[in-house]
Amino acid sequence: MPGTGVGDPHQEHQPWKGVALMKIGIIGAGNIGGNLTRRLTGLGHDVSVANSRGPHTLTALAEETGATPVEVRDAARDADLVVVTVPLKAVPDLPAGLFDGAADGVAVIDTGNYYPQQRDGKIAAIEDEGLTESGWTARQIGHTVVKAFNGTYAQDILDRPRPAGAPDRMALPVAGDDEAAKRVVRALIDELGFDTVDAGSLADSWRQQPGTPVYGLQEGTDAVTKALAEASPERSADFRA
């Protein structure tokens, strides 16, 4: 499923011209979190990374990338952008006031997916109330989020970056309510080597949830735009409890 895969980093050692370097916190050091750590440190960003098991378990990743391992409660401190990439069932366990020490206007990326049968169990607000997965996450953490990377194969973060205008450049859908945060996230994804398609608000983000046509799609902007338009709000049986 998207969100899986590991591999050797293809790191750029100079930031892209004109892109402001940021302080970035990554909460979750699994496949997506680990590969974003590899790419973002390679681009010159100041990255702190945390997981539920503690900084001592992140020594190898820190040595490989130059990222700073921290406790989860410290991952957002002074951060311009935070990536929350933990299993959905773990979101309520994140520390209260997580973003209190973040930079003003911090952008928060949610990469999460709801896998009720495979991992998360039933979340009533999603299934019974119809709340989108990222809408639920935003409610839990007390901060609006930008939904991105949730349908991206982790290995593609390393293997599929392409220059702007390349015919085989992949596009990723991005949804969110905070337009300023969405611009930051889309610029970062462009820096990483991918196009983006504005998928609308968090209320619209069901269009990129698991089981939709765009989920796992490894295509360009036209195909991603078409897939978002063809999505059905009916949650597929594989992604219901």
Side-chain angles (χ1 to χ4, degrees), residues 7 9 17 20 29-30 46-47 66 77 97 101 115 129 170 174 206:
K17 183 178 180 181
D46 178 3
V47 178
R77 184 172 297 167
Y115 300 127
E129 298 176 32
M170 282 177 52
V174 177
W206 57 267

PDB file of all heavy atoms in Angstrom, residues 7 9 17 20 29-30 46-47 66 77 97 101 115 129 170 174 206:
ATOM      1  N   GLY A   7      14.769   2.621   1.225  1.00  0.00           N
ATOM      2  CA  GLY A   7      15.821   2.529   0.220  1.00  0.00           C
ATOM      3  C   GLY A   7      16.896   3.557   0.482  1.00  0.00           C
ATOM      4  O   GLY A   7      16.875   4.303   1.458  1.00  0.00           O
ATOM      5  N   PRO A   9      18.969   6.953   0.088  1.00  0.00           N
ATOM      6  CA  PRO A   9      18.556   8.307  -0.251  1.00  0.00           C
ATOM      7  C   PRO A   9      19.262   8.817  -1.487  1.00  0.00           C
ATOM      8  O   PRO A   9      20.421   8.509  -1.732  1.00  0.00           O
ATOM      9  CB  PRO A   9      18.982   9.120   0.985  1.00  0.00           C
ATOM     10  CG  PRO A   9      20.119   8.346   1.567  1.00  0.00           C
ATOM     11  CD  PRO A   9      19.831   6.900   1.280  1.00  0.00           C
ATOM     12  N   LYS A  17      17.568  26.905  -5.664  1.00  0.00           N
ATOM     13  CA  LYS A  17      17.678  28.355  -5.745  1.00  0.00           C
ATOM     14  C   LYS A  17      16.312  29.000  -5.466  1.00  0.00           C
ATOM     15  O   LYS A  17      15.304  28.611  -6.042  1.00  0.00           O
ATOM     16  CB  LYS A  17      18.164  28.763  -7.140  1.00  0.00           C
ATOM     17  CG  LYS A  17      18.387  30.254  -7.299  1.00  0.00           C
ATOM     18  CD  LYS A  17      18.916  30.568  -8.680  1.00  0.00           C
ATOM     19  CE  LYS A  17      19.138  32.053  -8.854  1.00  0.00           C
ATOM     20  NZ  LYS A  17      19.640  32.379 -10.208  1.00  0.00           N
ATOM     21  N   ALA A  20      13.359  29.042   0.496  1.00  0.00           N
ATOM     22  CA  ALA A  20      13.790  29.373   1.846  1.00  0.00           C
ATOM     23  C   ALA A  20      13.970  28.096   2.657  1.00  0.00           C
ATOM     24  O   ALA A  20      13.112  27.211   2.643  1.00  0.00           O
ATOM     25  CB  ALA A  20      12.766  30.284   2.510  1.00  0.00           C
ATOM     26  N   ALA A  29       8.882   8.103  12.318  1.00  0.00           N
ATOM     27  CA  ALA A  29      10.099   7.796  11.561  1.00  0.00           C
ATOM     28  C   ALA A  29       9.959   6.468  10.828  1.00  0.00           C
ATOM     29  O   ALA A  29      10.939   5.745  10.644  1.00  0.00           O
ATOM     30  CB  ALA A  29      11.303   7.771  12.486  1.00  0.00           C
ATOM     31  N   GLY A  30       8.732   6.174  10.404  1.00  0.00           N
ATOM     32  CA  GLY A  30       8.515   4.996   9.577  1.00  0.00           C
ATOM     33  C   GLY A  30       8.958   5.255   8.152  1.00  0.00           C
ATOM     34  O   GLY A  30       9.853   6.067   7.895  1.00  0.00           O
ATOM     35  N   ASP A  46      16.647  22.214   8.235  1.00  0.00           N
ATOM     36  CA  ASP A  46      16.998  21.849   9.605  1.00  0.00           C
ATOM     37  C   ASP A  46      15.879  20.947  10.130  1.00  0.00           C
ATOM     38  O   ASP A  46      14.790  21.429  10.452  1.00  0.00           O
ATOM     39  CB  ASP A  46      17.134  23.121  10.444  1.00  0.00           C
ATOM     40  CG  ASP A  46      17.463  22.835  11.901  1.00  0.00           C
ATOM     41  OD1 ASP A  46      17.647  21.663  12.271  1.00  0.00           O
ATOM     42  OD2 ASP A  46      17.514  23.811  12.685  1.00  0.00           O
ATOM     43  N   VAL A  47      16.134  19.655  10.205  1.00  0.00           N
ATOM     44  CA  VAL A  47      15.095  18.675  10.496  1.00  0.00           C
ATOM     45  C   VAL A  47      15.298  18.059  11.876  1.00  0.00           C
ATOM     46  O   VAL A  47      16.386  17.572  12.200  1.00  0.00           O
ATOM     47  CB  VAL A  47      15.078  17.557   9.430  1.00  0.00           C
ATOM     48  CG1 VAL A  47      14.027  16.500   9.768  1.00  0.00           C
ATOM     49  CG2 VAL A  47      14.809  18.146   8.037  1.00  0.00           C
ATOM     50  N   GLY A  66      21.920  13.626   9.381  1.00  0.00           N
ATOM     51  CA  GLY A  66      22.204  14.880  10.069  1.00  0.00           C
ATOM     52  C   GLY A  66      20.998  15.474  10.768  1.00  0.00           C
ATOM     53  O   GLY A  66      21.092  16.559  11.353  1.00  0.00           O
ATOM     54  N   ARG A  77       8.946  22.382  18.232  1.00  0.00           N
ATOM     55  CA  ARG A  77       9.501  23.590  18.841  1.00  0.00           C
ATOM     56  C   ARG A  77      10.218  24.443  17.795  1.00  0.00           C
ATOM     57  O   ARG A  77      11.131  23.985  17.117  1.00  0.00           O
ATOM     58  CB  ARG A  77      10.461  23.222  19.970  1.00  0.00           C
ATOM     59  CG  ARG A  77      11.021  24.407  20.737  1.00  0.00           C
ATOM     60  CD  ARG A  77      11.784  23.955  21.944  1.00  0.00           C
ATOM     61  NE  ARG A  77      10.911  23.258  22.900  1.00  0.00           N
ATOM     62  CZ  ARG A  77      11.372  22.546  23.936  1.00  0.00           C
ATOM     63  NH1 ARG A  77      12.675  22.423  24.125  1.00  0.00           N
ATOM     64  NH2 ARG A  77      10.514  21.954  24.761  1.00  0.00           N
ATOM     65  N   GLY A  97      -0.883  20.364  23.495  1.00  0.00           N
ATOM     66  CA  GLY A  97      -0.086  21.574  23.317  1.00  0.00           C
ATOM     67  C   GLY A  97       1.140  21.373  22.452  1.00  0.00           C
ATOM     68  O   GLY A  97       2.114  22.128  22.556  1.00  0.00           O
ATOM     69  N   GLY A 101       4.866  25.731  21.010  1.00  0.00           N
ATOM     70  CA  GLY A 101       6.167  26.351  20.840  1.00  0.00           C
ATOM     71  C   GLY A 101       6.618  26.469  19.405  1.00  0.00           C
ATOM     72  O   GLY A 101       7.782  26.826  19.134  1.00  0.00           O
ATOM     73  N   TYR A 115      -7.076   2.908   8.357  1.00  0.00           N
ATOM     74  CA  TYR A 115      -7.123   1.500   7.972  1.00  0.00           C
ATOM     75  C   TYR A 115      -7.843   0.731   9.083  1.00  0.00           C
ATOM     76  O   TYR A 115      -7.204   0.122   9.946  1.00  0.00           O
ATOM     77  CB  TYR A 115      -5.717   0.940   7.775  1.00  0.00           C
ATOM     78  CG  TYR A 115      -4.897   1.625   6.713  1.00  0.00           C
ATOM     79  CD1 TYR A 115      -3.620   2.105   7.001  1.00  0.00           C
ATOM     80  CD2 TYR A 115      -5.372   1.768   5.417  1.00  0.00           C
ATOM     81  CE1 TYR A 115      -2.846   2.713   6.027  1.00  0.00           C
ATOM     82  CE2 TYR A 115      -4.609   2.385   4.436  1.00  0.00           C
ATOM     83  CZ  TYR A 115      -3.348   2.856   4.747  1.00  0.00           C
ATOM     84  OH  TYR A 115      -2.577   3.462   3.786  1.00  0.00           O
ATOM     85  N   GLU A 129     -20.026   9.726  11.559  1.00  0.00           N
ATOM     86  CA  GLU A 129     -20.287  11.157  11.398  1.00  0.00           C
ATOM     87  C   GLU A 129     -19.873  11.676  10.030  1.00  0.00           C
ATOM     88  O   GLU A 129     -20.240  12.792   9.657  1.00  0.00           O
ATOM     89  CB  GLU A 129     -19.554  11.950  12.486  1.00  0.00           C
ATOM     90  CG  GLU A 129     -20.000  11.632  13.901  1.00  0.00           C
ATOM     91  CD  GLU A 129     -19.167  12.379  14.934  1.00  0.00           C
ATOM     92  OE1 GLU A 129     -18.716  13.517  14.639  1.00  0.00           O
ATOM     93  OE2 GLU A 129     -18.962  11.825  16.029  1.00  0.00           O
ATOM     94  N   MET A 170       5.717  13.148 -11.393  1.00  0.00           N
ATOM     95  CA  MET A 170       4.511  12.797 -10.655  1.00  0.00           C
ATOM     96  C   MET A 170       3.877  14.026 -10.026  1.00  0.00           C
ATOM     97  O   MET A 170       4.559  14.998  -9.717  1.00  0.00           O
ATOM     98  CB  MET A 170       4.830  11.787  -9.545  1.00  0.00           C
ATOM     99  CG  MET A 170       5.010  10.360  -9.989  1.00  0.00           C
ATOM    100  SD  MET A 170       5.477   9.290  -8.586  1.00  0.00           S
ATOM    101  CE  MET A 170       4.191   9.695  -7.383  1.00  0.00           C
ATOM    102  N   VAL A 174      -3.093  17.772  -2.804  1.00  0.00           N
ATOM    103  CA  VAL A 174      -2.878  18.498  -1.550  1.00  0.00           C
ATOM    104  C   VAL A 174      -4.196  19.169  -1.164  1.00  0.00           C
ATOM    105  O   VAL A 174      -4.755  19.943  -1.946  1.00  0.00           O
ATOM    106  CB  VAL A 174      -1.778  19.568  -1.704  1.00  0.00           C
ATOM    107  CG1 VAL A 174      -1.620  20.366  -0.424  1.00  0.00           C
ATOM    108  CG2 VAL A 174      -0.448  18.920  -2.099  1.00  0.00           C
ATOM    109  N   TRP A 206     -11.695  13.761   1.321  1.00  0.00           N
ATOM    110  CA  TRP A 206     -12.094  12.374   1.092  1.00  0.00           C
ATOM    111  C   TRP A 206     -11.723  11.919  -0.310  1.00  0.00           C
ATOM    112  O   TRP A 206     -11.583  10.708  -0.562  1.00  0.00           O
ATOM    113  CB  TRP A 206     -13.607  12.211   1.298  1.00  0.00           C
ATOM    114  CG  TRP A 206     -14.474  13.100   0.446  1.00  0.00           C
ATOM    115  CD1 TRP A 206     -14.963  14.326   0.790  1.00  0.00           C
ATOM    116  CD2 TRP A 206     -14.920  12.847  -0.892  1.00  0.00           C
ATOM    117  NE1 TRP A 206     -15.695  14.858  -0.243  1.00  0.00           N
ATOM    118  CE2 TRP A 206     -15.694  13.962  -1.290  1.00  0.00           C
ATOM    119  CE3 TRP A 206     -14.767  11.784  -1.782  1.00  0.00           C
ATOM    120  CZ2 TRP A 206     -16.296  14.046  -2.548  1.00  0.00           C
ATOM    121  CZ3 TRP A 206     -15.363  11.875  -3.034  1.00  0.00           C
ATOM    122  CH2 TRP A 206     -16.111  12.995  -3.402  1.00  0.00           C
TER     123      TRP A 206
END
